[in-house]
Amino acid sequence: QKEVEQNSGPLSVPEGAIASLNCTYSDRGSQSFFWYRQYSGKSPELIMFIYSNGDKEDGRFTAQLNKASQYVSLLIRDSQPSDSATYLCAAGAGNMLTFGGGTRLMVKP
Amino acid sequence: DVKVTQSSRYLVKRTGEKVFLECVQDMDHENMFWYRQDPGLGLRLIYFSYDVKMKEKGDIPEGYSVSREKKERFSLILESASTNQTSMYLCASSLFVAGGAHEQYFGPGTRLTVT
């Protein structure tokens, strides 16, 4: 059974701080990793993807991948109240994505 | 931009009715997916399709069927709706890649209530 594990939260951070979201996956055959943001009542939207070990930066977002530890993380710098949402981690293999349960992030003004 | 559309945002049906949920994508993606999302249970895959007329069962196919007659359209059918099928239904599409997985793009979702 392929699994992707996330702490459900809520993770509460003050405005302007760095939010750190973490994810572990069980399938060593996973080759691609994705972070989605989902606002309440809305559908998931893709934020970032990462395929190789190391860091990938896009604006205020940095995705980190460590395949040896089967660990993926998302850092959000200068967190804003508009970043308050549920963040879904997904691991991809065989044209399928396995989603974690999501971490709820709350950014307090 | 990829666009995935779903036929309804909100739908209310009675127990025993046959329900059709339609999904259309405009990016020529080979793969299409149907998920349901429930509080505390996350996203669960119902069915997916990697080509016209091809379908594979996901984790929770019972009580559902699908149809893919055209590449851009993937339909989810609830043969006889039951109250435990009340949920948010999400359609997604992605490009096919050998051995790997591309990002999936989601439609806006259909919130189905079965009374």
Side-chain angles (χ1 to χ4, degrees), chain A residues 5-25:
Chain A
E5 300 286 342
Q6 296 181 256
N7 189 316
S8 60
L11 173 66
S12 182
V13 300
E15 184 174 357
I18 296 175
S20 178
L21 305 164
N22 305 312
C23 165
T24 58
Y25 61 95

mmCIF file of all heavy atoms in Angstrom, chain A residues 5-25:
data_model
loop_
_atom_site.group_PDB
_atom_site.id
_atom_site.type_symbol
_atom_site.label_atom_id
_atom_site.label_comp_id
_atom_site.label_asym_id
_atom_site.label_seq_id
_atom_site.Cartn_x
_atom_site.Cartn_y
_atom_site.Cartn_z
ATOM 1 N N GLU A 5 2.346 10.509 4.111
ATOM 2 C CA GLU A 5 1.953 10.933 5.444
ATOM 3 C C GLU A 5 2.260 12.413 5.656
ATOM 4 O O GLU A 5 3.353 12.884 5.323
ATOM 5 C CB GLU A 5 2.687 10.124 6.506
ATOM 6 C CG GLU A 5 2.419 8.617 6.441
ATOM 7 C CD GLU A 5 1.033 8.272 6.958
ATOM 8 O OE1 GLU A 5 0.417 9.096 7.668
ATOM 9 O OE2 GLU A 5 0.563 7.162 6.646
ATOM 10 N N GLN A 6 1.288 13.118 6.198
ATOM 11 C CA GLN A 6 1.459 14.526 6.570
ATOM 12 C C GLN A 6 0.835 14.741 7.942
ATOM 13 O O GLN A 6 -0.178 14.110 8.269
ATOM 14 C CB GLN A 6 0.739 15.451 5.580
ATOM 15 C CG GLN A 6 1.263 15.436 4.179
ATOM 16 C CD GLN A 6 0.500 16.411 3.305
ATOM 17 O OE1 GLN A 6 -0.351 16.014 2.502
ATOM 18 N NE2 GLN A 6 0.797 17.697 3.458
ATOM 19 N N ASN A 7 1.398 15.645 8.699
ATOM 20 C CA ASN A 7 0.766 16.074 9.946
ATOM 21 C C ASN A 7 -0.448 16.916 9.590
ATOM 22 O O ASN A 7 -0.345 17.857 8.811
ATOM 23 C CB ASN A 7 1.774 16.891 10.760
ATOM 24 C CG ASN A 7 1.253 17.187 12.160
ATOM 25 O OD1 ASN A 7 0.097 17.559 12.339
ATOM 26 N ND2 ASN A 7 2.114 17.031 13.142
ATOM 27 N N SER A 8 -1.595 16.578 10.168
ATOM 28 C CA SER A 8 -2.819 17.267 9.760
ATOM 29 C C SER A 8 -2.896 18.706 10.258
ATOM 30 O O SER A 8 -3.659 19.511 9.727
ATOM 31 C CB SER A 8 -4.039 16.486 10.255
ATOM 32 O OG SER A 8 -4.017 16.396 11.661
ATOM 33 N N GLY A 9 -2.100 19.027 11.292
ATOM 34 C CA GLY A 9 -2.110 20.375 11.833
ATOM 35 C C GLY A 9 -3.311 20.608 12.750
ATOM 36 O O GLY A 9 -3.858 19.657 13.301
ATOM 37 N N PRO A 10 -3.723 21.880 12.947
ATOM 38 C CA PRO A 10 -3.227 23.020 12.184
ATOM 39 C C PRO A 10 -1.843 23.490 12.614
ATOM 40 O O PRO A 10 -1.482 23.385 13.763
ATOM 41 C CB PRO A 10 -4.279 24.099 12.468
ATOM 42 C CG PRO A 10 -4.851 23.730 13.792
ATOM 43 C CD PRO A 10 -4.792 22.236 13.894
ATOM 44 N N LEU A 11 -1.104 23.981 11.627
ATOM 45 C CA LEU A 11 0.168 24.624 11.846
ATOM 46 C C LEU A 11 -0.097 26.122 11.855
ATOM 47 O O LEU A 11 -0.579 26.669 10.870
ATOM 48 C CB LEU A 11 1.149 24.271 10.727
ATOM 49 C CG LEU A 11 2.484 25.004 10.726
ATOM 50 C CD1 LEU A 11 3.293 24.620 11.955
ATOM 51 C CD2 LEU A 11 3.272 24.676 9.447
ATOM 52 N N SER A 12 0.197 26.751 12.963
ATOM 53 C CA SER A 12 -0.083 28.175 13.107
ATOM 54 C C SER A 12 1.222 28.955 13.123
ATOM 55 O O SER A 12 2.110 28.644 13.924
ATOM 56 C CB SER A 12 -0.883 28.422 14.393
ATOM 57 O OG SER A 12 -1.204 29.796 14.521
ATOM 58 N N VAL A 13 1.343 29.942 12.243
ATOM 59 C CA VAL A 13 2.544 30.781 12.201
ATOM 60 C C VAL A 13 2.117 32.240 12.123
ATOM 61 O O VAL A 13 1.045 32.555 11.588
ATOM 62 C CB VAL A 13 3.459 30.441 10.990
ATOM 63 C CG1 VAL A 13 3.915 28.987 11.054
ATOM 64 C CG2 VAL A 13 2.778 30.745 9.677
ATOM 65 N N PRO A 14 2.925 33.141 12.664
ATOM 66 C CA PRO A 14 2.595 34.561 12.552
ATOM 67 C C PRO A 14 2.928 35.080 11.159
ATOM 68 O O PRO A 14 3.798 34.553 10.457
ATOM 69 C CB PRO A 14 3.498 35.222 13.607
ATOM 70 C CG PRO A 14 4.627 34.275 13.782
ATOM 71 C CD PRO A 14 4.101 32.908 13.510
ATOM 72 N N GLU A 15 2.231 36.122 10.772
ATOM 73 C CA GLU A 15 2.502 36.754 9.486
ATOM 74 C C GLU A 15 3.967 37.163 9.387
ATOM 75 O O GLU A 15 4.542 37.693 10.338
ATOM 76 C CB GLU A 15 1.605 37.987 9.326
ATOM 77 C CG GLU A 15 1.735 38.681 7.987
ATOM 78 C CD GLU A 15 0.714 39.814 7.837
ATOM 79 O OE1 GLU A 15 -0.123 40.007 8.749
ATOM 80 O OE2 GLU A 15 0.759 40.509 6.804
ATOM 81 N N GLY A 16 4.565 36.886 8.235
ATOM 82 C CA GLY A 16 5.955 37.217 8.010
ATOM 83 C C GLY A 16 6.937 36.117 8.368
ATOM 84 O O GLY A 16 8.118 36.177 7.996
ATOM 85 N N ALA A 17 6.490 35.098 9.054
ATOM 86 C CA ALA A 17 7.365 33.994 9.467
ATOM 87 C C ALA A 17 7.505 32.980 8.334
ATOM 88 O O ALA A 17 6.841 33.052 7.299
ATOM 89 C CB ALA A 17 6.800 33.324 10.709
ATOM 90 N N ILE A 18 8.388 32.014 8.567
ATOM 91 C CA ILE A 18 8.551 30.896 7.625
ATOM 92 C C ILE A 18 7.673 29.736 8.087
ATOM 93 O O ILE A 18 7.741 29.311 9.239
ATOM 94 C CB ILE A 18 10.017 30.432 7.548
ATOM 95 C CG1 ILE A 18 10.894 31.550 6.977
ATOM 96 C CG2 ILE A 18 10.137 29.178 6.687
ATOM 97 C CD1 ILE A 18 12.383 31.212 6.990
ATOM 98 N N ALA A 19 6.855 29.234 7.166
ATOM 99 C CA ALA A 19 6.054 28.038 7.452
ATOM 100 C C ALA A 19 6.761 26.836 6.842
ATOM 101 O O ALA A 19 7.192 26.890 5.686
ATOM 102 C CB ALA A 19 4.655 28.180 6.879
ATOM 103 N N SER A 20 6.882 25.773 7.614
ATOM 104 C CA SER A 20 7.557 24.559 7.155
ATOM 105 C C SER A 20 6.585 23.391 7.185
ATOM 106 O O SER A 20 6.068 23.013 8.238
ATOM 107 C CB SER A 20 8.770 24.263 8.055
ATOM 108 O OG SER A 20 9.403 23.073 7.655
ATOM 109 N N LEU A 21 6.327 22.834 6.022
ATOM 110 C CA LEU A 21 5.373 21.735 5.889
ATOM 111 C C LEU A 21 6.131 20.494 5.445
ATOM 112 O O LEU A 21 6.967 20.567 4.539
ATOM 113 C CB LEU A 21 4.305 22.097 4.847
ATOM 114 C CG LEU A 21 3.570 23.401 5.121
ATOM 115 C CD1 LEU A 21 2.830 23.877 3.880
ATOM 116 C CD2 LEU A 21 2.606 23.225 6.275
ATOM 117 N N ASN A 22 5.819 19.368 6.067
ATOM 118 C CA ASN A 22 6.602 18.160 5.836
ATOM 119 C C ASN A 22 5.736 16.996 5.371
ATOM 120 O O ASN A 22 4.537 16.938 5.679
ATOM 121 C CB ASN A 22 7.325 17.758 7.111
ATOM 122 C CG ASN A 22 8.177 18.883 7.647
ATOM 123 O OD1 ASN A 22 8.932 19.504 6.911
ATOM 124 N ND2 ASN A 22 8.032 19.177 8.929
ATOM 125 N N CYS A 23 6.398 16.040 4.735
ATOM 126 C CA CYS A 23 5.689 14.925 4.127
ATOM 127 C C CYS A 23 6.659 13.750 3.985
ATOM 128 O O CYS A 23 7.814 13.965 3.621
ATOM 129 C CB CYS A 23 5.178 15.414 2.764
ATOM 130 S SG CYS A 23 4.629 14.191 1.597
ATOM 131 N N THR A 24 6.203 12.555 4.298
ATOM 132 C CA THR A 24 7.004 11.359 4.030
ATOM 133 C C THR A 24 6.198 10.427 3.132
ATOM 134 O O THR A 24 4.964 10.434 3.162
ATOM 135 C CB THR A 24 7.392 10.626 5.319
ATOM 136 O OG1 THR A 24 6.195 10.260 6.023
ATOM 137 C CG2 THR A 24 8.261 11.493 6.207
ATOM 138 N N TYR A 25 6.915 9.616 2.341
ATOM 139 C CA TYR A 25 6.235 8.710 1.420
ATOM 140 C C TYR A 25 6.833 7.320 1.538
ATOM 141 O O TYR A 25 7.996 7.154 1.913
ATOM 142 C CB TYR A 25 6.311 9.235 -0.017
ATOM 143 C CG TYR A 25 7.716 9.373 -0.559
ATOM 144 C CD1 TYR A 25 8.306 8.360 -1.312
ATOM 145 C CD2 TYR A 25 8.460 10.537 -0.331
ATOM 146 C CE1 TYR A 25 9.590 8.492 -1.801
ATOM 147 C CE2 TYR A 25 9.744 10.675 -0.828
ATOM 148 C CZ TYR A 25 10.306 9.646 -1.561
ATOM 149 O OH TYR A 25 11.582 9.779 -2.045
#
